[in-house]
Amino acid sequence: INEYFKKNIEDFKTKEFRDVETLLLDAKKFAENTTITEDEIQILYEERKESLIKPERRYLKQILVQEEDAAKKIALQLEKGTNFSNVAKELASLDESDIDLGWNTKTELPEEVTEEVFKVKKNKITKPIQSSFGWHIFLVLDIEARKEFTYEDVRNKFRNELLIEKGKEAVFDLQDEVEDSLAGGESLLEISQKLEVKLIEAKKIDNEGTDINGKKNLEFQDARILRAVFNQKENEEGNLIDIDDDNGLAVSIVKKIYPPRQMSIEEARPIVVSELKKNSRFQKALEFAKKLKLEIESNSIENVTSKYNLELKGVAPFNRIRPDDSELPLPLIDKIFTSKLSEILIHNRSDQEVIVSQVEEIINAYGKDKSDMKAFNKRIEDDMSVDLLSQFSEVLRKKYKISINDDVIDQLN
């Protein structure tokens, strides 16, 4: 413990604390003294009436495979009444998190699958459908019908929205007065009393709004205010800033700064012990990952994970342009695209986690038919040609004030 503390002594300092005063022009507070008429709500409703429609949604599970033959085999098993999740696991190596798509509207699905998915009844399964992503089979678990909201449905919501808008108007009406008072040398306390605006204060808070005893100051939890306060100098008034959610304005002054100080070994001991334990666990995990890699190379990843009762996750095919980093970190994805088929990779995400992965399949982006690549290249060349000609004609128009026959340009394209 002593050795680690001495070696990393610069890392063991107390936080910086500050005494702060903040003048708060909160739109919500001004809204409390505002009234909204029924006519105002009705006008807003009429303005937005056309958009007050909640589209139909469906709760979906999906099995996605790349080959049509695989999709047909899966569909055949499902027709026999086999459980959807079991088929996904056994025939496509997909677990529950891979197949559960949750609630989806038509606009949230690939265009090619929408029509089929939205004509299937609840608890029914679609036939295999092809899209640019592969072959899909969907299970419709639940259906939420399209709904048009009535005036009564949105009345309270619109009323609150109008109250906040009026509160914001009151805040910005006061902005010039506050700025003039600050320029005239008045203190925040004087401005607060004169304009009847709230003044909040905090003693010894850190940049997360927590005081020196570890208690959160509930009045100082606005991220923008805290960020501004910890960028100001002592006894320096800041600028008027927008507060979180853009529901008002605030200006602060830092009354006193308590700089970080070096911790003693006694103060730092709990932190040092925690870090040493964490480092030890990480090193053990790293050594275990190397052991797993050797075993997988002479066996299979399925057998090895089963032997040690580890979690094995499959990741649906992804490409380099739009990788899904919800399961795999981007640095590991970079390694994957430079690795070979069946290669085993070890990647540590900071010092928190070690991932052992194996490349299961490499899918050529254009398939075996090279004509797809040629067509793609031709489309890029055509698009670039159109862009260059349009830019060239625009430059001619602006620089030389000449007229250009766009029909001729179109013929060139």
Side-chain angles (χ1 to χ4, degrees):
I1 292 171
N2 288 334
E3 182 183 349
Y4 187 86
F5 175 74
K6 289 174 183 176
K7 186 178 179 180
N8 301 282
I9 194 166
E10 288 299 313
D11 296 335
F12 298 105
K13 291 185 176 179
T14 61
K15 282 191 167 187
E16 179 181 299
F17 292 90
R18 298 188 168 205
D19 292 346
V20 185
E21 284 183 1
T22 297
L23 193 67
L24 198 59
L25 285 72
D26 190 345
K28 292 176 183 176
K29 293 296 180 185
F30 285 96
E32 291 173 3
N33 300 318
T34 305
T35 56
I36 299 295
T37 67
E38 205 68 30
D39 286 344
E40 289 174 303
I41 303 173
Q42 187 70 49
I43 290 169
L44 184 59
Y45 173 73
E46 292 300 328
E47 287 175 358
R48 297 190 187 174
K49 193 174 181 179
E50 295 301 318
S51 63
L52 294 175
I53 298 170
K54 189 177 182 181
E56 180 183 332
R57 297 195 308 164
R58 295 187 166 216
Y59 198 108
L60 304 172
K61 285 189 176 183
Q62 169 196 247
I63 298 174
L64 175 63
V65 292
Q66 295 304 307
E67 302 297 331
E68 184 178 9
D69 288 345
K72 287 179 177 178
K73 287 179 184 177
I74 290 166
L76 192 61
Q77 285 298 314
L78 293 171
E79 285 172 10
K80 293 178 181 178
T82 312
N83 178 272
F84 194 89
S85 297
N86 291 344
V87 173
K89 188 173 184 179
E90 291 167 10
L91 297 185
S93 300
L94 300 173
D95 62 24
E96 198 64 27
S97 63
D98 297 321
I99 67 173
D100 192 338
L101 296 186
W103 288 100
N104 292 265
T105 62
K106 287 184 178 180
T107 59
E108 293 169 325
L109 295 172
E111 189 177 336
E112 304 97 318
V113 309
T114 303
E115 183 180 351
E116 187 67 27
V117 170
F118 275 78
K119 73 181 184 183
V120 173
K121 294 180 180 178
K122 183 177 175 180
N123 294 322
K124 296 297 182 181
I125 295 168
T126 68
K127 64 183 182 182
I129 316 165
Q130 187 179 22
S131 80
S132 55
F133 296 98
W135 287 86
H136 309 251
I137 300 172
F138 293 93
L139 167 62
V140 179
L141 284 174
D142 203 356
I143 298 173
E144 196 177 80
R146 178 180 182 273
K147 180 181 178 181
E148 293 187 21
F149 291 95
T150 65
Y151 178 74
E152 287 303 318
D153 290 332
V154 297
R155 181 182 175 279
N156 287 336
K157 178 177 177 292
F158 280 5
R159 179 181 177 277
N160 292 333
E161 187 177 323
L162 288 167
L163 281 171
I164 288 295
E165 286 304 315
K166 285 196 175 183
K168 287 181 180 180
E169 288 173 13
V171 165
F172 288 108
D173 286 344
L174 274 178
Q175 182 174 353
D176 289 340
E177 289 187 59
V178 172
E179 288 177 338
D180 289 343
S181 297
L182 289 170
E186 292 182 54
S187 69
L188 297 188
L189 178 60
E190 290 169 332
I191 299 170
S192 168
Q193 292 170 341
K194 182 176 74 174
L195 300 180
E196 297 182 349
V197 177
K198 187 175 182 180
L199 183 70
I200 56 177
E201 300 177 76
K203 297 288 186 182
K204 293 185 179 179
I205 58 166
D206 64 17
N207 59 358
E208 295 179 345
T210 302
D211 68 21
I212 202 162
N213 298 313
K215 184 180 178 182
K216 279 196 175 295
N217 186 314
L218 298 180
E219 290 190 312
F220 280 87
Q221 293 301 305
D222 187 296
R224 293 187 189 179
I225 292 175
L226 289 169
R227 187 163 56 246
V229 161
F230 276 81
N231 281 319
Q232 291 174 219
K233 296 177 182 176
E234 194 171 299
N235 291 317
E236 174 187 73
E237 281 177 358
N239 298 316
L240 270 170
I241 62 165
D242 293 316
I243 60 177
D244 281 357
D245 300 323
D246 296 322
N247 280 333
L249 300 170
V251 60
S252 302
I253 183 169
V254 177
K255 305 295 286 185
K256 189 171 182 179
I257 296 175
Y258 304 87
R261 62 171 178 78
Q262 182 65 57
M263 287 184 179
S264 66
I265 182 62
E266 288 76 19
E267 289 176 300
R269 181 178 292 275
I271 304 171
V272 174
V273 169
S274 175
E275 289 193 10
L276 285 170
K277 286 181 178 178
K278 183 175 71 175
N279 292 346
S280 175
R281 286 194 298 269
F282 176 70
Q283 288 304 318
K284 287 177 181 177
L286 203 54
E287 290 303 316
F288 184 49
K290 292 174 183 176
K291 179 183 176 182
L292 290 175
K293 180 178 179 181
L294 291 173
E295 292 195 27
I296 294 167
E297 286 171 345
S298 59
N299 201 319
S300 73
I301 194 166
E302 290 83 5
N303 290 340
V304 173
T305 51
S306 177
K307 174 183 174 181
Y308 292 103
N309 196 27
L310 299 172
E311 182 181 14
L312 179 62
K313 279 189 175 183
V315 179
F318 56 88
N319 59 41
R320 192 190 290 261
I321 298 170
R322 291 182 179 175
D324 180 4
D325 61 350
S326 62
E327 293 287 344
L328 300 175
L330 285 173
L332 175 55
I333 291 173
D334 288 340
K335 291 181 186 177
I336 287 169
F337 276 96
T338 59
S339 60
K340 298 175 182 178
L341 185 64
S342 298
E343 186 173 344
I344 298 147
L345 305 169
I346 295 176
H347 177 80
N348 52 291
R349 184 153 32 189
S350 67
D351 57 355
Q352 300 296 315
E353 183 179 47
V354 181
I355 301 171
V356 180
S357 63
Q358 184 174 34
V359 180
E360 178 71 18
E361 185 180 12
I362 297 175
I363 304 166
N364 190 318
Y366 299 97
K368 295 178 181 179
D369 187 359
K370 298 296 182 184
S371 63
D372 288 344
M373 174 67 94
K374 290 178 182 177
F376 176 75
N377 288 339
K378 180 69 168 61
R379 190 166 71 250
I380 293 295
E381 288 172 4
D382 290 345
D383 289 346
M384 289 178 68
S385 174
V386 170
D387 288 345
L388 287 170
L389 283 169
S390 63
Q391 289 176 35
F392 179 60
S393 60
E394 187 64 23
V395 169
L396 289 175
R397 283 191 181 98
K398 287 182 178 178
K399 188 170 183 180
Y400 298 106
K401 310 297 182 187
I402 63 174
S403 62
I404 294 174
N405 189 327
D406 287 325
D407 290 337
V408 175
I409 296 293
D410 291 340
Q411 289 172 18
L412 289 171
N413 288 339

